[in-house]
PDB file of all heavy atoms in Angstrom:
ATOM      1  N   LEU A  22       0.860  -1.204   0.030  1.00  0.00           N
ATOM      2  CA  LEU A  22      -0.032   0.029  -0.006  1.00  0.00           C
ATOM      3  C   LEU A  22       0.842   1.226  -0.016  1.00  0.00           C
ATOM      4  O   LEU A  22       0.537   2.239  -0.685  1.00  0.00           O
ATOM      5  CB  LEU A  22      -0.902  -0.006   1.232  1.00  0.00           C
ATOM      6  CG  LEU A  22      -2.069  -1.034   1.187  1.00  0.00           C
ATOM      7  CD1 LEU A  22      -2.776  -1.094   2.532  1.00  0.00           C
ATOM      8  CD2 LEU A  22      -3.001  -0.723   0.058  1.00  0.00           C
ATOM      9  N   LYS A  23       1.957   1.183   0.736  1.00  0.00           N
ATOM     10  CA  LYS A  23       2.855   2.383   0.748  1.00  0.00           C
ATOM     11  C   LYS A  23       3.414   2.628  -0.644  1.00  0.00           C
ATOM     12  O   LYS A  23       3.549   3.795  -1.024  1.00  0.00           O
ATOM     13  CB  LYS A  23       3.938   2.148   1.771  1.00  0.00           C
ATOM     14  CG  LYS A  23       4.879   3.341   1.864  1.00  0.00           C
ATOM     15  CD  LYS A  23       5.895   3.072   2.973  1.00  0.00           C
ATOM     16  CE  LYS A  23       6.784   4.344   3.118  1.00  0.00           C
ATOM     17  NZ  LYS A  23       7.902   4.153   4.201  1.00  0.00           N
ATOM     18  N   SER A  24       3.812   1.543  -1.351  1.00  0.00           N
ATOM     19  CA  SER A  24       4.272   1.637  -2.685  1.00  0.00           C
ATOM     20  C   SER A  24       3.170   2.158  -3.689  1.00  0.00           C
ATOM     21  O   SER A  24       3.424   3.035  -4.515  1.00  0.00           O
ATOM     22  CB  SER A  24       4.821   0.313  -3.159  1.00  0.00           C
ATOM     23  OG  SER A  24       5.196   0.387  -4.487  1.00  0.00           O
ATOM     24  N   LEU A  25       1.985   1.634  -3.545  1.00  0.00           N
ATOM     25  CA  LEU A  25       0.871   1.998  -4.387  1.00  0.00           C
ATOM     26  C   LEU A  25       0.507   3.505  -4.249  1.00  0.00           C
ATOM     27  O   LEU A  25       0.121   4.171  -5.200  1.00  0.00           O
ATOM     28  CB  LEU A  25      -0.325   1.148  -4.186  1.00  0.00           C
ATOM     29  CG  LEU A  25      -1.561   1.466  -5.000  1.00  0.00           C
ATOM     30  CD1 LEU A  25      -1.299   1.322  -6.479  1.00  0.00           C
ATOM     31  CD2 LEU A  25      -2.696   0.491  -4.547  1.00  0.00           C
ATOM     32  N   PHE A  26       0.630   4.004  -3.032  1.00  0.00           N
ATOM     33  CA  PHE A  26       0.155   5.383  -2.756  1.00  0.00           C
ATOM     34  C   PHE A  26       1.408   6.299  -2.458  1.00  0.00           C
ATOM     35  O   PHE A  26       1.243   7.302  -1.816  1.00  0.00           O
ATOM     36  CB  PHE A  26      -0.802   5.378  -1.582  1.00  0.00           C
ATOM     37  CG  PHE A  26      -2.069   4.637  -1.862  1.00  0.00           C
ATOM     38  CD1 PHE A  26      -2.430   3.550  -1.094  1.00  0.00           C
ATOM     39  CD2 PHE A  26      -2.875   4.975  -2.989  1.00  0.00           C
ATOM     40  CE1 PHE A  26      -3.623   2.832  -1.337  1.00  0.00           C
ATOM     41  CE2 PHE A  26      -3.990   4.288  -3.251  1.00  0.00           C
ATOM     42  CZ  PHE A  26      -4.357   3.190  -2.447  1.00  0.00           C
ATOM     43  N   SER A  27       2.516   5.918  -3.035  1.00  0.00           N
ATOM     44  CA  SER A  27       3.681   6.770  -2.975  1.00  0.00           C
ATOM     45  C   SER A  27       3.457   8.040  -3.745  1.00  0.00           C
ATOM     46  O   SER A  27       2.580   8.086  -4.640  1.00  0.00           O
ATOM     47  CB  SER A  27       4.934   6.055  -3.421  1.00  0.00           C
ATOM     48  OG  SER A  27       4.834   5.785  -4.828  1.00  0.00           O
ATOM     49  N   PRO A  28       4.249   9.086  -3.522  1.00  0.00           N
ATOM     50  CA  PRO A  28       4.020  10.366  -4.356  1.00  0.00           C
ATOM     51  C   PRO A  28       4.122  10.135  -5.839  1.00  0.00           C
ATOM     52  O   PRO A  28       3.276  10.672  -6.584  1.00  0.00           O
ATOM     53  CB  PRO A  28       5.221  11.219  -3.821  1.00  0.00           C
ATOM     54  CG  PRO A  28       5.428  10.773  -2.419  1.00  0.00           C
ATOM     55  CD  PRO A  28       5.221   9.275  -2.465  1.00  0.00           C
ATOM     56  N   LYS A  29       5.073   9.372  -6.302  1.00  0.00           N
ATOM     57  CA  LYS A  29       5.256   9.153  -7.707  1.00  0.00           C
ATOM     58  C   LYS A  29       4.084   8.278  -8.315  1.00  0.00           C
ATOM     59  O   LYS A  29       3.617   8.584  -9.403  1.00  0.00           O
ATOM     60  CB  LYS A  29       6.616   8.479  -8.014  1.00  0.00           C
ATOM     61  CG  LYS A  29       7.786   9.467  -7.769  1.00  0.00           C
ATOM     62  CD  LYS A  29       9.092   8.819  -8.227  1.00  0.00           C
ATOM     63  CE  LYS A  29      10.193   9.795  -8.089  1.00  0.00           C
ATOM     64  NZ  LYS A  29      11.547   9.214  -8.484  1.00  0.00           N
ATOM     65  N   ALA A  30       3.692   7.327  -7.574  1.00  0.00           N
ATOM     66  CA  ALA A  30       2.574   6.496  -7.988  1.00  0.00           C
ATOM     67  C   ALA A  30       1.261   7.280  -7.956  1.00  0.00           C
ATOM     68  O   ALA A  30       0.327   7.118  -8.768  1.00  0.00           O
ATOM     69  CB  ALA A  30       2.423   5.217  -7.114  1.00  0.00           C
ATOM     70  N   GLY A  31       1.199   8.218  -6.956  1.00  0.00           N
ATOM     71  CA  GLY A  31      -0.004   9.088  -6.814  1.00  0.00           C
ATOM     72  C   GLY A  31      -0.220   9.910  -8.053  1.00  0.00           C
ATOM     73  O   GLY A  31      -1.412  10.182  -8.402  1.00  0.00           O
ATOM     74  N   ALA A  32       0.846  10.318  -8.739  1.00  0.00           N
ATOM     75  CA  ALA A  32       0.672  11.055 -10.003  1.00  0.00           C
ATOM     76  C   ALA A  32      -0.168  10.197 -10.996  1.00  0.00           C
ATOM     77  O   ALA A  32      -0.918  10.767 -11.784  1.00  0.00           O
ATOM     78  CB  ALA A  32       2.018  11.479 -10.551  1.00  0.00           C
ATOM     79  N   ILE A  33       0.164   8.929 -11.052  1.00  0.00           N
ATOM     80  CA  ILE A  33      -0.564   8.043 -12.011  1.00  0.00           C
ATOM     81  C   ILE A  33      -1.969   7.878 -11.561  1.00  0.00           C
ATOM     82  O   ILE A  33      -2.921   7.890 -12.400  1.00  0.00           O
ATOM     83  CB  ILE A  33       0.148   6.715 -12.080  1.00  0.00           C
ATOM     84  CG1 ILE A  33       1.626   6.854 -12.556  1.00  0.00           C
ATOM     85  CG2 ILE A  33      -0.632   5.732 -12.959  1.00  0.00           C
ATOM     86  CD1 ILE A  33       2.458   5.586 -12.387  1.00  0.00           C
ATOM     87  N   LEU A  34      -2.197   7.736 -10.257  1.00  0.00           N
ATOM     88  CA  LEU A  34      -3.578   7.568  -9.737  1.00  0.00           C
ATOM     89  C   LEU A  34      -4.429   8.741  -9.974  1.00  0.00           C
ATOM     90  O   LEU A  34      -5.633   8.658 -10.270  1.00  0.00           O
ATOM     91  CB  LEU A  34      -3.472   7.238  -8.271  1.00  0.00           C
ATOM     92  CG  LEU A  34      -2.744   5.960  -7.855  1.00  0.00           C
ATOM     93  CD1 LEU A  34      -2.765   5.774  -6.326  1.00  0.00           C
ATOM     94  CD2 LEU A  34      -3.214   4.727  -8.532  1.00  0.00           C
ATOM     95  N   ARG A  35      -3.820   9.956  -9.880  1.00  0.00           N
ATOM     96  CA  ARG A  35      -4.590  11.171 -10.098  1.00  0.00           C
ATOM     97  C   ARG A  35      -5.051  11.314 -11.515  1.00  0.00           C
ATOM     98  O   ARG A  35      -6.254  11.727 -11.845  1.00  0.00           O
ATOM     99  CB  ARG A  35      -3.749  12.388  -9.670  1.00  0.00           C
ATOM    100  CG  ARG A  35      -3.606  12.657  -8.211  1.00  0.00           C
ATOM    101  CD  ARG A  35      -3.167  14.049  -7.927  1.00  0.00           C
ATOM    102  NE  ARG A  35      -1.889  14.361  -8.453  1.00  0.00           N
ATOM    103  CZ  ARG A  35      -0.680  14.111  -7.781  1.00  0.00           C
ATOM    104  NH1 ARG A  35      -0.689  13.592  -6.586  1.00  0.00           N
ATOM    105  NH2 ARG A  35       0.458  14.490  -8.352  1.00  0.00           N
ATOM    106  N   VAL A  36      -4.223  10.821 -12.441  1.00  0.00           N
ATOM    107  CA  VAL A  36      -4.645  10.819 -13.851  1.00  0.00           C
ATOM    108  C   VAL A  36      -5.804   9.959 -14.064  1.00  0.00           C
ATOM    109  O   VAL A  36      -6.817  10.244 -14.739  1.00  0.00           O
ATOM    110  CB  VAL A  36      -3.432  10.476 -14.781  1.00  0.00           C
ATOM    111  CG1 VAL A  36      -3.938  10.245 -16.219  1.00  0.00           C
ATOM    112  CG2 VAL A  36      -2.370  11.561 -14.712  1.00  0.00           C
ATOM    113  N   LEU A  37      -5.775   8.709 -13.498  1.00  0.00           N
ATOM    114  CA  LEU A  37      -6.859   7.789 -13.679  1.00  0.00           C
ATOM    115  C   LEU A  37      -8.128   8.290 -12.988  1.00  0.00           C
ATOM    116  O   LEU A  37      -9.233   8.161 -13.550  1.00  0.00           O
ATOM    117  CB  LEU A  37      -6.517   6.400 -13.007  1.00  0.00           C
ATOM    118  CG  LEU A  37      -5.366   5.639 -13.688  1.00  0.00           C
ATOM    119  CD1 LEU A  37      -4.905   4.463 -12.857  1.00  0.00           C
ATOM    120  CD2 LEU A  37      -5.806   5.227 -15.125  1.00  0.00           C
ATOM    121  N   LEU A  38      -8.002   8.902 -11.805  1.00  0.00           N
ATOM    122  CA  LEU A  38      -9.176   9.387 -11.047  1.00  0.00           C
ATOM    123  C   LEU A  38      -9.829  10.574 -11.760  1.00  0.00           C
ATOM    124  O   LEU A  38     -10.988  10.860 -11.630  1.00  0.00           O
ATOM    125  CB  LEU A  38      -8.809   9.672  -9.670  1.00  0.00           C
ATOM    126  CG  LEU A  38      -8.613   8.492  -8.731  1.00  0.00           C
ATOM    127  CD1 LEU A  38      -7.912   8.907  -7.454  1.00  0.00           C
ATOM    128  CD2 LEU A  38      -9.976   7.759  -8.422  1.00  0.00           C
ATOM    129  N   ASN A  39      -9.057  11.324 -12.424  1.00  0.00           N
ATOM    130  CA  ASN A  39      -9.545  12.495 -13.178  1.00  0.00           C
ATOM    131  C   ASN A  39     -10.396  12.107 -14.365  1.00  0.00           C
ATOM    132  O   ASN A  39     -11.287  12.832 -14.810  1.00  0.00           O
ATOM    133  CB  ASN A  39      -8.420  13.367 -13.608  1.00  0.00           C
ATOM    134  CG  ASN A  39      -7.826  14.253 -12.561  1.00  0.00           C
ATOM    135  OD1 ASN A  39      -8.492  14.501 -11.569  1.00  0.00           O
ATOM    136  ND2 ASN A  39      -6.558  14.610 -12.668  1.00  0.00           N
ATOM    137  N   ASN A  40     -10.206  10.898 -14.871  1.00  0.00           N
ATOM    138  CA  ASN A  40     -10.966  10.400 -16.021  1.00  0.00           C
ATOM    139  C   ASN A  40     -11.303   8.912 -15.795  1.00  0.00           C
ATOM    140  O   ASN A  40     -10.782   7.997 -16.449  1.00  0.00           O
ATOM    141  CB  ASN A  40     -10.137  10.499 -17.321  1.00  0.00           C
ATOM    142  CG  ASN A  40      -9.759  11.915 -17.618  1.00  0.00           C
ATOM    143  OD1 ASN A  40     -10.506  12.702 -18.138  1.00  0.00           O
ATOM    144  ND2 ASN A  40      -8.523  12.334 -17.216  1.00  0.00           N
ATOM    145  N   PRO A  41     -12.267   8.631 -14.846  1.00  0.00           N
ATOM    146  CA  PRO A  41     -12.551   7.222 -14.426  1.00  0.00           C
ATOM    147  C   PRO A  41     -12.953   6.315 -15.575  1.00  0.00           C
ATOM    148  O   PRO A  41     -12.761   5.139 -15.527  1.00  0.00           O
ATOM    149  CB  PRO A  41     -13.599   7.397 -13.401  1.00  0.00           C
ATOM    150  CG  PRO A  41     -13.485   8.746 -12.916  1.00  0.00           C
ATOM    151  CD  PRO A  41     -13.040   9.592 -14.114  1.00  0.00           C
ATOM    152  N   ASN A  42     -13.642   6.919 -16.585  1.00  0.00           N
ATOM    153  CA  ASN A  42     -14.145   6.034 -17.682  1.00  0.00           C
ATOM    154  C   ASN A  42     -13.293   6.053 -18.936  1.00  0.00           C
ATOM    155  O   ASN A  42     -13.673   5.432 -19.927  1.00  0.00           O
ATOM    156  CB  ASN A  42     -15.607   6.474 -18.042  1.00  0.00           C
ATOM    157  CG  ASN A  42     -16.510   6.379 -16.814  1.00  0.00           C
ATOM    158  OD1 ASN A  42     -16.546   5.336 -16.141  1.00  0.00           O
ATOM    159  ND2 ASN A  42     -17.315   7.384 -16.580  1.00  0.00           N
ATOM    160  N   TYR A  43     -12.137   6.648 -18.848  1.00  0.00           N
ATOM    161  CA  TYR A  43     -11.311   6.732 -20.039  1.00  0.00           C
ATOM    162  C   TYR A  43     -10.440   5.572 -20.125  1.00  0.00           C
ATOM    163  O   TYR A  43      -9.798   5.064 -19.187  1.00  0.00           O
ATOM    164  CB  TYR A  43     -10.434   8.072 -19.989  1.00  0.00           C
ATOM    165  CG  TYR A  43      -9.615   8.382 -21.214  1.00  0.00           C
ATOM    166  CD1 TYR A  43     -10.236   8.966 -22.248  1.00  0.00           C
ATOM    167  CD2 TYR A  43      -8.284   8.035 -21.290  1.00  0.00           C
ATOM    168  CE1 TYR A  43      -9.553   9.175 -23.411  1.00  0.00           C
ATOM    169  CE2 TYR A  43      -7.546   8.271 -22.423  1.00  0.00           C
ATOM    170  CZ  TYR A  43      -8.166   8.842 -23.486  1.00  0.00           C
ATOM    171  OH  TYR A  43      -7.416   9.101 -24.636  1.00  0.00           O
ATOM    172  N   ALA A  44     -10.263   5.035 -21.355  1.00  0.00           N
ATOM    173  CA  ALA A  44      -9.338   3.906 -21.611  1.00  0.00           C
ATOM    174  C   ALA A  44      -7.945   4.440 -21.910  1.00  0.00           C
ATOM    175  O   ALA A  44      -7.810   5.133 -22.996  1.00  0.00           O
ATOM    176  CB  ALA A  44      -9.849   3.050 -22.739  1.00  0.00           C
ATOM    177  N   TRP A  45      -7.026   4.056 -21.203  1.00  0.00           N
ATOM    178  CA  TRP A  45      -5.642   4.562 -21.290  1.00  0.00           C
ATOM    179  C   TRP A  45      -4.746   3.538 -21.905  1.00  0.00           C
ATOM    180  O   TRP A  45      -4.597   2.403 -21.395  1.00  0.00           O
ATOM    181  CB  TRP A  45      -5.048   4.957 -19.947  1.00  0.00           C
ATOM    182  CG  TRP A  45      -5.700   6.250 -19.389  1.00  0.00           C
ATOM    183  CD1 TRP A  45      -6.729   6.318 -18.542  1.00  0.00           C
ATOM    184  CD2 TRP A  45      -5.318   7.586 -19.594  1.00  0.00           C
ATOM    185  NE1 TRP A  45      -6.957   7.618 -18.187  1.00  0.00           N
ATOM    186  CE2 TRP A  45      -6.138   8.427 -18.888  1.00  0.00           C
ATOM    187  CE3 TRP A  45      -4.269   8.165 -20.385  1.00  0.00           C
ATOM    188  CZ2 TRP A  45      -6.038   9.818 -18.878  1.00  0.00           C
ATOM    189  CZ3 TRP A  45      -4.175   9.531 -20.473  1.00  0.00           C
ATOM    190  CH2 TRP A  45      -5.029  10.310 -19.679  1.00  0.00           C
ATOM    191  N   ARG A  46      -3.999   3.942 -22.881  1.00  0.00           N
ATOM    192  CA  ARG A  46      -2.848   3.144 -23.405  1.00  0.00           C
ATOM    193  C   ARG A  46      -1.721   3.439 -22.419  1.00  0.00           C
ATOM    194  O   ARG A  46      -1.575   4.523 -21.863  1.00  0.00           O
ATOM    195  CB  ARG A  46      -2.469   3.547 -24.792  1.00  0.00           C
ATOM    196  CG  ARG A  46      -3.506   3.255 -25.867  1.00  0.00           C
ATOM    197  CD  ARG A  46      -3.683   1.751 -26.093  1.00  0.00           C
ATOM    198  NE  ARG A  46      -4.642   1.462 -27.106  1.00  0.00           N
ATOM    199  CZ  ARG A  46      -5.058   0.181 -27.400  1.00  0.00           C
ATOM    200  NH1 ARG A  46      -4.527  -0.855 -26.733  1.00  0.00           N
ATOM    201  NH2 ARG A  46      -5.862   0.016 -28.434  1.00  0.00           N
ATOM    202  N   MET A  47      -0.851   2.445 -22.247  1.00  0.00           N
ATOM    203  CA  MET A  47       0.195   2.554 -21.254  1.00  0.00           C
ATOM    204  C   MET A  47       1.050   3.772 -21.519  1.00  0.00           C
ATOM    205  O   MET A  47       1.442   4.558 -20.643  1.00  0.00           O
ATOM    206  CB  MET A  47       1.068   1.310 -21.266  1.00  0.00           C
ATOM    207  CG  MET A  47       0.290   0.043 -20.712  1.00  0.00           C
ATOM    208  SD  MET A  47       0.079   0.085 -18.947  1.00  0.00           S
ATOM    209  CE  MET A  47       1.751  -0.377 -18.431  1.00  0.00           C
ATOM    210  N   ALA A  48       1.467   3.923 -22.768  1.00  0.00           N
ATOM    211  CA  ALA A  48       2.369   5.047 -23.159  1.00  0.00           C
ATOM    212  C   ALA A  48       1.722   6.456 -22.888  1.00  0.00           C
ATOM    213  O   ALA A  48       2.350   7.352 -22.407  1.00  0.00           O
ATOM    214  CB  ALA A  48       2.800   4.924 -24.588  1.00  0.00           C
ATOM    215  N   ASN A  49       0.411   6.507 -23.207  1.00  0.00           N
ATOM    216  CA  ASN A  49      -0.290   7.780 -22.993  1.00  0.00           C
ATOM    217  C   ASN A  49      -0.453   8.110 -21.492  1.00  0.00           C
ATOM    218  O   ASN A  49      -0.267   9.212 -21.109  1.00  0.00           O
ATOM    219  CB  ASN A  49      -1.667   7.704 -23.607  1.00  0.00           C
ATOM    220  CG  ASN A  49      -1.600   7.599 -25.164  1.00  0.00           C
ATOM    221  OD1 ASN A  49      -0.599   7.989 -25.736  1.00  0.00           O
ATOM    222  ND2 ASN A  49      -2.677   7.173 -25.761  1.00  0.00           N
ATOM    223  N   LEU A  50      -0.690   7.022 -20.691  1.00  0.00           N
ATOM    224  CA  LEU A  50      -0.851   7.251 -19.246  1.00  0.00           C
ATOM    225  C   LEU A  50       0.511   7.698 -18.682  1.00  0.00           C
ATOM    226  O   LEU A  50       0.585   8.584 -17.798  1.00  0.00           O
ATOM    227  CB  LEU A  50      -1.290   5.955 -18.593  1.00  0.00           C
ATOM    228  CG  LEU A  50      -1.553   5.964 -17.128  1.00  0.00           C
ATOM    229  CD1 LEU A  50      -2.460   7.088 -16.666  1.00  0.00           C
ATOM    230  CD2 LEU A  50      -2.006   4.613 -16.574  1.00  0.00           C
ATOM    231  N   ALA A  51       1.586   7.017 -19.153  1.00  0.00           N
ATOM    232  CA  ALA A  51       2.888   7.400 -18.645  1.00  0.00           C
ATOM    233  C   ALA A  51       3.243   8.848 -18.954  1.00  0.00           C
ATOM    234  O   ALA A  51       3.826   9.616 -18.137  1.00  0.00           O
ATOM    235  CB  ALA A  51       3.975   6.449 -19.230  1.00  0.00           C
ATOM    236  N   ALA A  52       2.955   9.244 -20.198  1.00  0.00           N
ATOM    237  CA  ALA A  52       3.201  10.626 -20.628  1.00  0.00           C
ATOM    238  C   ALA A  52       2.369  11.647 -19.785  1.00  0.00           C
ATOM    239  O   ALA A  52       2.917  12.663 -19.347  1.00  0.00           O
ATOM    240  CB  ALA A  52       2.944  10.786 -22.115  1.00  0.00           C
ATOM    241  N   GLU A  53       1.125  11.380 -19.653  1.00  0.00           N
ATOM    242  CA  GLU A  53       0.196  12.321 -18.841  1.00  0.00           C
ATOM    243  C   GLU A  53       0.659  12.380 -17.428  1.00  0.00           C
ATOM    244  O   GLU A  53       0.545  13.462 -16.814  1.00  0.00           O
ATOM    245  CB  GLU A  53      -1.224  11.744 -18.971  1.00  0.00           C
ATOM    246  CG  GLU A  53      -2.239  12.657 -18.343  1.00  0.00           C
ATOM    247  CD  GLU A  53      -2.469  13.968 -19.164  1.00  0.00           C
ATOM    248  OE1 GLU A  53      -2.101  13.974 -20.353  1.00  0.00           O
ATOM    249  OE2 GLU A  53      -3.003  14.938 -18.537  1.00  0.00           O
ATOM    250  N   ALA A  54       1.082  11.285 -16.831  1.00  0.00           N
ATOM    251  CA  ALA A  54       1.516  11.305 -15.414  1.00  0.00           C
ATOM    252  C   ALA A  54       2.983  11.649 -15.232  1.00  0.00           C
ATOM    253  O   ALA A  54       3.402  11.717 -14.056  1.00  0.00           O
ATOM    254  CB  ALA A  54       1.206   9.958 -14.762  1.00  0.00           C
ATOM    255  N   LYS A  55       3.704  11.833 -16.353  1.00  0.00           N
ATOM    256  CA  LYS A  55       5.148  12.098 -16.238  1.00  0.00           C
ATOM    257  C   LYS A  55       5.876  11.009 -15.442  1.00  0.00           C
ATOM    258  O   LYS A  55       6.714  11.222 -14.583  1.00  0.00           O
ATOM    259  CB  LYS A  55       5.392  13.506 -15.549  1.00  0.00           C
ATOM    260  CG  LYS A  55       4.756  14.610 -16.284  1.00  0.00           C
ATOM    261  CD  LYS A  55       4.939  15.943 -15.512  1.00  0.00           C
ATOM    262  CE  LYS A  55       4.183  17.116 -16.178  1.00  0.00           C
ATOM    263  NZ  LYS A  55       4.325  18.396 -15.375  1.00  0.00           N
ATOM    264  N   ALA A  56       5.532   9.805 -15.811  1.00  0.00           N
ATOM    265  CA  ALA A  56       6.099   8.595 -15.178  1.00  0.00           C
ATOM    266  C   ALA A  56       6.701   7.725 -16.267  1.00  0.00           C
ATOM    267  O   ALA A  56       6.397   7.811 -17.385  1.00  0.00           O
ATOM    268  CB  ALA A  56       4.992   7.895 -14.407  1.00  0.00           C
ATOM    269  N   SER A  57       7.578   6.838 -15.775  1.00  0.00           N
ATOM    270  CA  SER A  57       8.137   5.844 -16.699  1.00  0.00           C
ATOM    271  C   SER A  57       7.208   4.733 -16.960  1.00  0.00           C
ATOM    272  O   SER A  57       6.236   4.486 -16.224  1.00  0.00           O
ATOM    273  CB  SER A  57       9.413   5.267 -16.067  1.00  0.00           C
ATOM    274  OG  SER A  57       9.134   4.410 -14.943  1.00  0.00           O
ATOM    275  N   LEU A  58       7.379   4.057 -18.102  1.00  0.00           N
ATOM    276  CA  LEU A  58       6.543   2.890 -18.460  1.00  0.00           C
ATOM    277  C   LEU A  58       6.607   1.795 -17.386  1.00  0.00           C
ATOM    278  O   LEU A  58       5.606   1.126 -17.088  1.00  0.00           O
ATOM    279  CB  LEU A  58       6.909   2.409 -19.810  1.00  0.00           C
ATOM    280  CG  LEU A  58       6.280   3.162 -21.039  1.00  0.00           C
ATOM    281  CD1 LEU A  58       6.890   2.568 -22.318  1.00  0.00           C
ATOM    282  CD2 LEU A  58       4.774   2.963 -21.068  1.00  0.00           C
ATOM    283  N   GLY A  59       7.817   1.565 -16.901  1.00  0.00           N
ATOM    284  CA  GLY A  59       7.983   0.583 -15.840  1.00  0.00           C
ATOM    285  C   GLY A  59       7.212   0.877 -14.547  1.00  0.00           C
ATOM    286  O   GLY A  59       6.614  -0.033 -14.000  1.00  0.00           O
ATOM    287  N   HIS A  60       7.140   2.142 -14.178  1.00  0.00           N
ATOM    288  CA  HIS A  60       6.450   2.512 -12.958  1.00  0.00           C
ATOM    289  C   HIS A  60       4.891   2.353 -13.263  1.00  0.00           C
ATOM    290  O   HIS A  60       4.135   1.881 -12.427  1.00  0.00           O
ATOM    291  CB  HIS A  60       6.733   3.954 -12.600  1.00  0.00           C
ATOM    292  CG  HIS A  60       6.396   4.271 -11.192  1.00  0.00           C
ATOM    293  ND1 HIS A  60       6.677   5.465 -10.557  1.00  0.00           N
ATOM    294  CD2 HIS A  60       5.732   3.542 -10.245  1.00  0.00           C
ATOM    295  CE1 HIS A  60       6.276   5.423  -9.320  1.00  0.00           C
ATOM    296  NE2 HIS A  60       5.665   4.246  -9.080  1.00  0.00           N
ATOM    297  N   VAL A  61       4.443   2.778 -14.402  1.00  0.00           N
ATOM    298  CA  VAL A  61       3.037   2.605 -14.737  1.00  0.00           C
ATOM    299  C   VAL A  61       2.701   1.123 -14.799  1.00  0.00           C
ATOM    300  O   VAL A  61       1.581   0.757 -14.305  1.00  0.00           O
ATOM    301  CB  VAL A  61       2.774   3.231 -16.086  1.00  0.00           C
ATOM    302  CG1 VAL A  61       1.349   2.904 -16.583  1.00  0.00           C
ATOM    303  CG2 VAL A  61       2.893   4.794 -16.053  1.00  0.00           C
ATOM    304  N   SER A  62       3.555   0.280 -15.256  1.00  0.00           N
ATOM    305  CA  SER A  62       3.285  -1.140 -15.311  1.00  0.00           C
ATOM    306  C   SER A  62       3.150  -1.678 -13.883  1.00  0.00           C
ATOM    307  O   SER A  62       2.280  -2.541 -13.630  1.00  0.00           O
ATOM    308  CB  SER A  62       4.407  -1.900 -16.057  1.00  0.00           C
ATOM    309  OG  SER A  62       4.222  -3.254 -16.061  1.00  0.00           O
TER     310      SER A  62
END
């Protein structure tokens, strides 16, 4: 849980929560959250 809700992971979660019904490709989600593909995975 600490890893899932870490600050960097939180950036990914905020993108998902801002658009709950949107279908995200991994690369697009990584770019929007300013995160690496590995972290998004």
Side-chain angles (χ1 to χ4, degrees):
L22 291 172
K23 184 176 181 180
S24 173
L25 178 58
F26 298 120
S27 68
K29 290 185 178 179
I33 300 169
L34 301 181
R35 285 198 297 272
V36 171
L37 292 172
L38 285 166
N39 284 334
N40 299 277
N42 298 314
Y43 187 80
W45 289 95
R46 295 292 185 185
M47 295 283 285
N49 294 340
L50 180 56
E53 186 71 18
K55 301 176 184 177
S57 68
L58 278 172
H60 200 173
V61 171
S62 179

